[in-house]
Amino acid sequence: MTVQRGKKLSISIQEHMAIDVCPGPIRPIRQISAYFPRLSPTSPTPLSPNPTSPPPALSPGSGASGMGGPQLLSPLLAEGRPGGGGSLSLTSSIDTSVEIHSSDSDDCTALGTLEFELRYDQSSSELHCTVKRAKGLKPMDFNGLADPYVKLHLLPGACKANKLKTKTIRNSLNPVWNETLTYVGITEEDMHRKTLRLTVCDEDKLTHNELIGESRVPLKRVKPDQTKRFHTCLEHPPPLPSPTAMGEALRGISCYLREWENEQLHSLEERGRLLLSLQFLPPLSSEDEDVEAGSEGRRSGGLCVGVKRCAHLAAMDVNGFSDPYVKIYLKPDIQKKSKHKTAVMKKTLNPEFNEEFFYEISLSELANKTLEVTVWDYDLGRSNDFIGGVCLGCQSQGDALRHWTDCLKNKGRRVERWHILTNELPRTMSHD
């Protein structure tokens, strides 16, 4: 009869308890009578567990498998009562796992910290990043040290054209740079939608450079003309989603979305920045002709296009530079007479042109035109390489449309604006 009750007790426990094996002292069954009087072998009272209140959870010992010999059980200790093993209920098991995860060493301790400052000068459209120092970097070399440097990228659209880099500090886990890196041609739209990625890397001359950690800051956190200081923990780059753990249907969708995203990023790849000035000059009267004797006899109005400078152009030559020049068209160009071209600037990614070109045209006609501006890399003896371009007209979008509209609305006023160069050729280039 005792065996029958033992079997019923075993079934009742397995139905209600959360089994969790834990280390701790193993006590014989006779010592459990103090905790569970109904389990005492000398008690004549039959076993009748209360269905409304499930019996306390027990952790089976080495003899709980039903084999021969006395059964050994580890009692469930009340909270706060001394003893080995700790809490074993289902709720406390979840709490314990959270505590374990929270006490694990995080990226802040493993990878190090980075201090830097950001400032956006709205008048000059410049973003200044002063990289101060790093502390407690992860050792990357055999000598227990590292050769760290910091590189910057603007996201989305990270590429070589918008990469800036600090100097390398040799054999240090606590490097001090105090170096200011400047992005030129950063618009207000960039400050709202771009993110600055700061990556700390270890330089290796014999092998490839290794990544230590990174930090990302949305530029919208930086207010114009104010310096903001950051002290961030370096983190691992976010992992790319792997479709191998998904089902067949989700795997196909994931691959399709990844290919589509790569195509979108490739088509929108930034190739640098271009500073343009537009000014519509109204027709000259007879009095204006006497005053402006240097106007070379211009009587009708027209559009004056100023090609000022470029910044952060993509490197098209093997030496890491380009030989850029700018071409402009006013389309549609039936007579093929709207082409203008600047001089070639040798071996630079930040050329300054400061050249102006004039199109004699009325304001009504200009409203139906599109200004195409393209930047090219000059190559002697072979075809020139396309770096990037932008189109300005009533069919444009974003900064290009705003620049064109401001020019048409403010006759006689010179309007300057930075534009992002993309690697996509203008659609009307096929007509040339």
Side-chain angles (χ1 to χ4, degrees):
M1 185 173 182
T2 305
V3 176
Q4 296 285 340
R5 292 174 183 171
K7 290 183 179 180
K8 292 181 181 179
L9 175 61
S10 175
I11 296 174
S12 177
I13 290 176
Q14 291 180 1
E15 290 178 352
H16 294 88
M17 78 175 185
I19 299 177
D20 192 359
V21 179
C22 66
I26 306 300
R27 304 185 183 185
I29 188 68
R30 62 178 177 271
Q31 295 183 1
I32 307 180
S33 60
Y35 296 93
F36 306 101
R38 293 181 179 271
L39 301 181
S40 174
T42 59
S43 175
T45 306
L47 179 64
S48 58
N50 188 2
T52 59
S53 59
L58 297 180
S59 179
S62 59
S65 59
M67 302 298 291
Q71 293 186 351
L72 301 180
L73 298 177
S74 176
L76 174 64
L77 300 179
E79 184 177 358
R81 187 171 299 180
S87 175
L88 298 179
S89 66
L90 181 60
T91 305
S92 60
S93 176
I94 296 177
D95 294 340
T96 304
S97 64
V98 172
E99 291 176 1
I100 290 176
H101 287 303
S102 62
S103 62
D104 285 344
S105 60
D106 55 8
D107 293 341
C108 181
T109 344
L111 303 180
T113 61
L114 181 65
E115 299 180 29
F116 57 94
E117 296 178 351
L118 293 179
R119 179 182 178 85
Y120 176 59
D121 290 336
Q122 192 171 15
S123 58
S124 59
S125 300
E126 293 180 347
L127 176 65
H128 305 282
C129 177
T130 302
V131 183
K132 294 290 188 180
R133 63 181 63 85
K135 293 182 179 180
L137 294 181
K138 177 182 177 181
M140 305 297 292
D141 298 336
F142 292 109
N143 58 2
L145 300 174
D147 303 320
Y149 66 93
V150 180
K151 61 180 180 179
L152 311 182
H153 283 102
L154 287 177
L155 306 177
C159 59
K160 293 182 179 180
N162 60 34
K163 183 183 78 170
L164 299 179
K165 178 182 171 183
T166 67
K167 60 185 178 182
T168 302
I169 306 297
R170 300 291 177 186
N171 297 324
S172 176
L173 298 181
N174 300 283
V176 178
W177 288 283
N178 286 326
E179 188 172 346
T180 300
L181 306 175
T182 302
Y183 279 105
V184 180
I186 302 299
T187 63
E188 295 182 12
E189 182 179 354
D190 293 328
M191 296 300 295
H192 283 89
R193 69 182 183 92
K194 292 282 189 178
T195 297
L196 180 65
R197 180 178 68 189
L198 300 94
T199 308
V200 182
C201 300
D202 171 58
E203 182 179 287
D204 288 324
K205 294 183 177 181
L206 300 180
T207 61
H208 63 279
N209 299 339
E210 297 178 303
L211 185 143
I212 300 178
E214 70 171 33
S215 179
R216 302 190 180 196
V217 179
L219 294 184
K220 60 184 178 181
R221 296 179 57 184
V222 182
K223 297 181 179 180
D225 303 321
Q226 294 185 13
T227 301
K228 188 173 181 62
R229 295 176 174 85
F230 295 89
H231 187 187
T232 62
C233 294
L234 295 177
E235 301 175 348
H236 292 289
L240 294 176
S242 176
T244 55
M246 305 178 184
E248 291 295 333
L250 293 180
R251 184 181 295 114
I253 295 175
S254 174
C255 294
Y256 171 79
L257 292 178
R258 181 175 296 183
E259 292 178 359
W260 177 84
E261 183 180 9
N262 291 335
E263 292 177 359
Q264 291 298 111
L265 291 176
H266 180 72
S267 63
L268 298 178
E269 179 185 347
E270 293 185 12
R271 294 294 188 90
R273 305 293 172 108
L274 172 67
L275 179 60
L276 283 179
S277 70
L278 298 180
Q279 182 183 17
F280 180 78
L281 299 174
L284 293 177
S285 63
S286 57
E287 296 179 356
D288 295 333
E289 290 180 8
D290 296 337
V291 175
E292 299 184 13
S295 60
E296 299 181 358
R298 179 179 60 85
R299 303 181 64 90
S300 59
L303 176 66
C304 182
V305 181
V307 181
K308 297 297 183 180
R309 58 179 297 194
C310 294
H312 313 300
L313 292 180
M316 307 301 291
D317 298 335
V318 293
N319 58 6
F321 294 96
S322 295
D323 302 321
Y325 68 95
V326 180
K327 291 193 300 185
I328 62 175
Y329 293 86
L330 194 60
K331 301 291 186 72
D333 183 19
I334 301 177
Q335 298 180 356
K336 306 291 184 181
K337 294 183 178 180
S338 69
K339 176 181 175 180
H340 290 289
K341 185 170 65 172
T342 68
V344 178
M345 299 295 169
K346 293 291 186 178
K347 201 175 179 180
T348 179
L349 301 180
N350 299 279
E352 293 189 11
F353 300 100
N354 292 320
E355 298 187 33
E356 290 187 348
F357 306 96
F358 181 77
Y359 292 102
E360 187 173 324
I361 190 174
S362 64
L363 185 61
S364 58
E365 293 175 333
L366 186 61
N368 299 320
K369 296 287 187 177
T370 298
L371 182 67
E372 289 184 0
V373 185
T374 54
V375 183
W376 298 79
D377 170 54
Y378 176 78
D379 289 323
L380 182 63
R382 56 192 180 95
S383 60
N384 300 328
D385 298 322
F386 173 73
I387 297 179
V390 62
C391 292
L392 294 88
C394 295
Q395 304 300 324
S396 303
Q397 297 178 353
D399 289 334
L401 177 61
R402 283 189 287 270
H403 196 185
W404 187 256
T405 305
D406 291 344
C407 172
L408 299 182
K409 289 182 177 180
N410 301 277
K411 294 184 294 184
R413 176 187 171 189
R414 187 184 302 272
V415 183
E416 289 188 359
R417 189 180 289 270
W418 284 92
H419 297 277
I420 298 176
L421 301 173
T422 63
N423 64 332
E424 186 177 5
L425 277 167
R427 296 179 180 177
T428 56
M429 289 288 291
S430 58
H431 299 300
D432 293 342

